[in-house]
Amino acid sequence: MTENNSGLPMINEGNKDLFDKLVALCNCSEYRCSKYKEFIRGYLEVNQLNIALAEMGLEEDIIDLIGYESNLELEVL
């Protein structure tokens, strides 16, 4: 089991507002720097990668389901 440090917030669906606050912070002139911009860009790239992988997995599941349904139809006949 992994332990989470409650002092370190994690960005997930439950606290998307944390990411929005980070974006707002990075857009403030006194905190604007390439480190935060790089973090945001990386986060968005990983987000797109996760979406692509999920879509690929869904497509494979649909193909498997179609094959399974075809086998059931042949068994019934």
Side-chain angles (χ1 to χ4, degrees), residues 1 5 10 15 17 20-21 24 26 32 35-36 39 45 47 50 53 58-59 62 65 68-69 71:
M1 180 180 292
N5 183 343
M10 297 185 65
N15 62 356
D17 59 282
D20 293 338
K21 288 178 184 176
C26 292
R32 182 175 238 135
K35 179 181 172 186
Y36 290 117
F39 168 76
E45 286 175 3
N47 181 37
N50 286 338
L53 290 173
L58 182 60
E59 183 179 352
I62 290 172
L65 181 60
Y68 176 72
E69 288 175 344
N71 286 339

Side-chain angles (χ1 to χ4, degrees), residues 54-73:
E55 288 173 346
M56 289 169 49
L58 182 60
E59 183 179 352
E60 290 178 16
D61 288 346
I62 290 172
I63 291 169
D64 290 344
L65 181 60
I66 291 170
Y68 176 72
E69 288 175 344
S70 295
N71 286 339
L72 285 178
E73 288 175 2

Side-chain angles (χ1 to χ4, degrees), residues 14-27:
N15 62 356
K16 183 183 176 299
D17 59 282
L18 178 66
F19 181 70
D20 293 338
K21 288 178 184 176
L22 178 63
V23 171
L25 179 69
C26 292
N27 289 329

Side-chain angles (χ1 to χ4, degrees), residues 21-54:
K21 288 178 184 176
L22 178 63
V23 171
L25 179 69
C26 292
N27 289 329
C28 293
S29 60
E30 63 187 72
Y31 291 106
R32 182 175 238 135
C33 72
S34 61
K35 179 181 172 186
Y36 290 117
K37 287 183 179 181
E38 185 177 331
F39 168 76
I40 291 170
R41 184 175 51 247
Y43 183 83
L44 294 174
E45 286 175 3
V46 169
N47 181 37
Q48 291 302 313
L49 178 63
N50 286 338
I51 290 171
L53 290 173

